[in-house]
Amino acid sequence: MNNELRSLFAKAIESVRPGSLIRSTMRRHSHYLIVRDRFFALNHNCYLIGFGKAVLAMADQVVRVVGEHLREGILSVPRGSAKATLGPTISIVEGADNNLPDADSFEAACRIVQLAKRCSRDDLLLVLISGGGSALLPYPVPPVSLAEKMAVIKAVAGAGADIRELNTVRKALSEAKGGKLALLAHPAHVVSFILSDVVGDPLDTIASGPTVLPYVSARPEALSVLKKYQLLETVPHNVKLVLLREDSCVAMAKTVRPGVHNLIIGNNSTCLTAMKELADQSNMQSVVLTNRVVGFVTQVADVYSELIECVCFYLHEGDRNNLLRTLQQLKINHLNVPYVDDTVEKLCEYFEYPSNTDSECKTLFLISGGEPTVRIMGRGKGGRNQELSLRMAVALHRLKERHQWMNKFEVHFMSGGTDGIDGPTDAAGAIVNSNTIDQAVSENLNVETVLKNNDSYTFFSEFDGGSHLIKTGHTGTNVMDVQVIVISLK
């Protein structure tokens, strides 16, 4: 089953290749650039900026379409991802090792901001945005230094903040995020092509919304986030100074009416649909449950464990009424968790049809996506996907210990980040099954210690010769994470 899961993951990545997504969104006719249903006159007036893990392939297609009308471009991309040049007009700056801002990405951000400021009324600024964009566009509000801003973001992330909270703080401390880049480019036309890496595709959150207007100051909400996680009294003085003073961009925004068009060209749902199509082509039953998985991996593992228990017991007993009761109990157990509602609804729909439990169908794929978080308690090496997979291995082991009838099933689980990089590691995620913990014990690996130290990468590197890690390298795209539960009758 590991090979099948790797094939599904590869299909997910292929479905969100940035180049093909751009090709389906823009084209050129004579001296006009056509972006979906909008026409923009071309007269050697195009500028290109981009920041994120997917912008190189996006930019390659833009260059092909716009051609001689492109005057200048600057791209900020992860270190190690630039394999070729895009011509003399495009500068590529690599930085943000391990998805963390650094001096090189700061230099790129400065150059991007200066280019935006140079745009005039008749110019067309094309903006490419994808996951990782926040780390690749670091431009702190003076007098905050890059080191100070990074320290605050690290503290907020380590406290367990979700992506919205992180981006709120980033926007409040940035000269380019939260719509400020669009303000700087006024009065040029601005068109942003966005590959979403955020649950629900909120434009103001993806890469911290640099081209999203109308402008709303993020400073009051950022203060609330710092207070929530009891960090306000420990942040650097300059950070507190910026957050407490008046935001000059509020007045600026009232005087301009820039023409900005933000387009989502791909997202997590694109991946999940592609995975389902591949599973169906292989004559496997599959259900896309949700693309809204968020929260701590500990909670996500609990939800998935209860879900597996519900489905396996139903397949064992065949009592649909009992299945509906247990699924409703799952919702009660996790009130106000949106992805649980999605999941229960989709499963109820699926099992409504008797053909979906036909004895000839012995394998069921449950497909989900989103972006959970990890509460960092130790000093180990890992990432949210690897830690979620390891916690699922523990959950599957406990289910097998608790219920004799679970031995009728083989259950596999995969979680992987579509950018190919899970945390500060060279893995995208990992695959586990019902027997992972038994095998780990036989290899003298202490899973409990590993989890306490957030050391999942070390575990999977040693476990079974590292064969359960998913390694793709930088994929050149990023639309959050995908997870697959596979339930097979033995």
Side-chain angles (χ1 to χ4, degrees), residues 228-399:
K228 173 182 176 180
Y229 293 103
Q230 300 179 343
L231 296 171
L232 184 59
E233 299 307 317
T234 61
V235 298
H237 171 73
N238 286 337
V239 170
K240 190 182 297 186
L241 179 69
V242 166
L243 294 180
L244 291 173
R245 77 186 183 194
E246 184 179 357
D247 188 345
S248 61
C249 287
V250 174
M252 182 195 310
K254 293 178 181 179
T255 66
V256 301
R257 293 293 183 270
V260 180
H261 308 284
N262 293 299
L263 308 172
I264 298 288
I265 64 171
N267 55 20
N268 188 260
S269 291
T270 310
C271 280
L272 305 186
T273 299
M275 295 168 78
K276 175 175 171 52
E277 288 174 352
L278 180 59
D280 291 347
Q281 288 169 8
S282 303
N283 295 319
M284 303 293 186
Q285 295 285 350
S286 64
V287 187
V288 174
L289 300 177
T290 181
N291 64 351
R292 299 197 289 169
V293 177
V294 294
F296 292 121
V297 293
T298 48
Q299 180 201 48
V300 175
D302 288 342
V303 170
Y304 281 155
S305 175
E306 291 176 48
L307 178 67
I308 291 167
E309 186 175 17
C310 288
V311 172
C312 287
F313 186 69
Y314 169 63
L315 295 175
H316 170 65
E317 291 289 329
D319 186 340
R320 186 173 182 278
N321 289 331
N322 186 59
L323 172 68
L324 296 178
R325 284 194 298 271
T326 55
L327 287 176
Q328 292 305 315
Q329 186 61 48
L330 179 62
K331 289 178 64 173
I332 294 171
N333 292 347
H334 302 279
L335 288 174
N336 303 317
V337 181
Y339 72 88
V340 175
D341 291 343
D342 294 349
T343 296
V344 169
E345 180 180 340
K346 289 296 179 64
L347 276 177
C348 287
E349 289 177 1
Y350 175 79
F351 285 118
E352 183 178 351
Y353 299 97
S355 60
N356 288 334
T357 56
D358 193 295
S359 59
E360 294 300 315
C361 176
K362 294 188 176 182
T363 303
L364 174 62
F365 288 79
L366 304 177
I367 302 168
S368 302
E371 191 165 274
T373 53
V374 172
R375 192 185 299 276
I376 299 172
M377 304 296 289
R379 297 185 177 182
K381 189 174 184 179
R384 60 180 179 265
N385 289 283
Q386 294 162 82
E387 180 153 331
L388 175 57
S389 291
L390 187 53
R391 290 187 179 280
M392 283 304 301
V394 173
L396 292 174
H397 179 75
R398 289 173 178 168
L399 282 177

Side-chain angles (χ1 to χ4, degrees), residues 6 16 101 161 184-185 214 266 313 378 406 410 449 465 467:
R6 292 179 190 277
V16 286
L184 293 173
F313 186 69
M406 280 297 299
E410 288 184 3
T449 299
S467 62

